[in-house]
Amino acid sequence: RWVEAVTTARELLRCLYFERLRGDDELAEGFEVVCNLCSVEQRHGLLIRTHVPLAEPTLDTLTDAFAGAGWHERETFEMFGIVFAGHNDLRNMYLPSDFEGYPLRKDFPLLSRIVKPWPGIVDVEPLPGEDEADEADEAEAPA
C-alpha cells in the first residue's frame, strides 16, 4: 500500500512537494525506504516509511504520483538494488553499467579490504634530472 499512502498524503494532506526518497540497509531485516513529502501551503511535512524484504527487494514506483520520484528511485536502485516495479528507466546514473554489486549495502565489500590495481594508474617515467635532484637534496640534508 506504498503508492496508496503517498497518493493519499498528496490528495488529502496537500503534500504536493516531493522532497526525497532514500533507502536504508537494515541487514537481515531487509531495507527501509523512506519518502519525505511537504505541504507548503499548510506548512507541514510527512515522512512515509516502508520495509522491503532482503530476498526480493521490490517496491512499486511512485512516478505516477510524483514524476520527480524517478530520479530518486534510480539512485536507490543503483546503490541498494531495490527494484521499483513500473519504473521505465532503472539504469545506473553514477556507476559503470558493468559494475557488480550495490555499494550502499552493508554487505558490500569495502575496497580497502580488497587489493586491486587502480584502473587509471599510469607508469610515468621520471623527467630528466628529477632523480639527480632528489639525490642531491638527500646528500645535503643534515643528519
Side-chain angles (χ1 to χ4, degrees):
R1 301 180 61 182
W2 168 248
V3 176
E4 182 183 345
V6 170
T7 304
T8 300
R10 186 191 69 206
E11 294 172 2
L12 296 181
L13 301 176
R14 303 296 298 154
C15 292
L16 304 177
Y17 180 72
F18 178 89
E19 188 175 344
R20 67 181 174 158
L21 179 137
R22 64 179 172 82
D24 287 324
D25 188 349
E26 301 291 329
L27 293 174
E29 299 165 12
F31 302 98
E32 181 180 66
V33 178
V34 182
C35 176
N36 291 59
L37 302 174
C38 297
S39 173
V40 177
E41 63 186 42
Q42 296 180 7
R43 295 184 174 187
H44 65 258
L46 185 64
L47 188 73
I48 301 175
R49 300 176 188 202
T50 191
H51 290 279
V52 182
L54 182 62
E56 195 174 318
T58 303
L59 193 60
D60 290 333
T61 184
L62 296 179
T63 54
D64 290 337
F66 290 100
W71 184 88
H72 297 265
E73 290 175 351
R74 282 180 62 188
E75 183 178 46
T76 304
F77 165 73
E78 182 177 12
M79 296 294 152
F80 291 97
I82 300 170
V83 176
F84 290 90
H87 193 288
N88 63 356
D89 193 19
L90 285 181
R91 59 187 163 93
N92 289 0
M93 297 188 308
Y94 307 121
L95 302 171
S97 59
D98 61 345
F99 188 86
E100 294 179 14
Y102 303 102
L104 291 184
R105 284 190 179 187
K106 292 180 181 173
D107 62 355
F108 186 77
L110 297 175
L111 293 178
S112 62
R113 296 182 184 157
I114 299 174
V115 179
K116 290 183 179 179
W118 183 254
I121 196 163
V122 178
D123 290 332
V124 178
E125 297 280 330
L127 295 174
E130 273 189 349
D131 290 340
E132 297 165 7
D134 291 341
E135 291 172 8
D137 289 342
E138 289 175 8
E140 292 177 14

